[in-house]
Amino acid sequence: MSKEQYHEAMLYEPAEDGKVRCRLCGHECLIGPDKLGICRVRKNVGGKLISLSYDALVSVNVDPIEKKPLFHFLPGTLSLSVAAAGCNFQCAFCQNWQISQAPRTGKVLAGQAVPPAQLVARAVRRGCASISYTYTEPTIFFELAYDTARLAQEKGIKSCFVSNGFMTPRAVRTIAPFLDAINVDLKAFRDETYRSVMKGRLEPVLTCLRELVRCGVWVEVTTLVVPEMNDSEAELADIAGFIAGELGPDVPWHVSRFHGDYEMIAAASTPIATLHRAVQIGREAGLRYVYSGNVPGDENESTLCPRCGSMLIRRTGFAMAANRLDAGRCPDCGSRIAGVWK
Ligand code: SF4
């Protein structure tokens, strides 16, 4: 049996003339018979929407949780990190374009069938506290992530997404009971940038973020600061203001350094001064935890107590060097530090 015959997709409905409407991500594709959605990994086969990525993992690694980055979620633990090929965005600066864009270019990445039970068993065997759905976009291998996350929860293993945040609110509500943490890329605060550079839209990402917080999933936000794309003070202030005002001042914001890649291979890297300014803008907006990323050794990688300024978690790159938290509190002033600590 070909894999197209099984693993019916979740979150779709029949439409007129044998078409189906996918409700998984903000594109809400209307897919004709034998056609694929924009992500190229969901296909209408005889009026049934089929996931082509369920049995096709292209990456299974063990990473520190800090690499996601998730800084306020079980620091110092390992996360089994898995990915299937494909994405619902087409970011011109994608750093994993070889696997995220492969289906779009017609490249066949065979992938590996690793059933949920095996993934969970592997996480346990490798001493991982969580499984992360990452590297590409977990939304497009939603069914595998959902089945695995349900099973993982039964075994006491947490689940994390690293996502572009383009899930529909319905998709968020479906996965939320089994999703412990998510890092969402808020890539810009201008809809025209989302449309032209990512081939997406801004509003569904903001809606998804609000819904994640409402559902009680631990949320961290990352913005890759790309020169001349999203690095103006006004736009950075808009992003920081949205996080602080609508998601809450305890939501960590990671501002990451861009290096040229994919269709923007020749573009200049983000100046360190720009990142430091972004950190400052985040703090001025009221965010309590703002981190710089992709700059190993930078002073803004560690967690300080927002009340007394004590060093709480010291990091270098993806390594946690020290953790002074005492049951989630600052050992010096007793302030509670937002996060999932055990
Ligand atoms: S996941 Fe998104 S891009 Fe893929 S078929 Fe569904 S709506 Fe379209």
Side-chain angles (χ1 to χ4, degrees), residues 194-272:
Y194 263 94
R195 287 178 187 271
S196 62
V197 183
M198 292 68 153
K199 306 288 186 282
R201 282 176 294 126
L202 172 63
E203 196 52 48
V205 180
L206 304 183
T207 302
C208 173
L209 276 163
R210 292 184 193 106
E211 191 67 8
L212 284 160
V213 169
R214 201 189 63 77
C215 289
V217 178
W218 176 253
V219 174
E220 303 194 16
V221 175
T222 293
T223 300
L224 185 71
V225 181
V226 181
E228 293 176 34
M229 186 190 85
N230 60 2
D231 64 340
S232 72
E233 299 222 350
E235 187 160 355
L236 292 168
D238 286 345
I239 296 173
F242 168 79
I243 300 170
E246 297 212 33
L247 307 182
D250 279 332
V251 170
W253 186 33
H254 303 259
V255 287
S256 288
R257 191 173 193 214
F258 161 84
H259 302 282
D261 213 324
Y262 192 36
E263 292 169 350
M264 291 173 67
I265 189 78
S269 298
T270 320
I272 302 293

Side-chain angles (χ1 to χ4, degrees), residues 57 59-65 68 73 77-83 114-135 141 144 148 152 157-162:
L57 286 185
S59 200
V60 184
N61 299 310
V62 173
D63 287 337
I65 193 73
K68 303 303 121 199
F73 184 82
T77 62
L78 297 174
S79 192
L80 189 78
S81 301
V82 303
V114 190
Q118 271 186 38
L119 284 173
V120 175
R122 206 180 292 191
V124 172
R125 207 168 52 242
R126 301 289 300 271
C128 296
S130 62
I131 299 176
S132 290
Y133 307 86
T134 178
Y135 306 133
F141 55 103
L144 179 66
T148 308
I157 301 283
K158 308 273 191 205
S159 291
C160 315
F161 272 18
V162 180

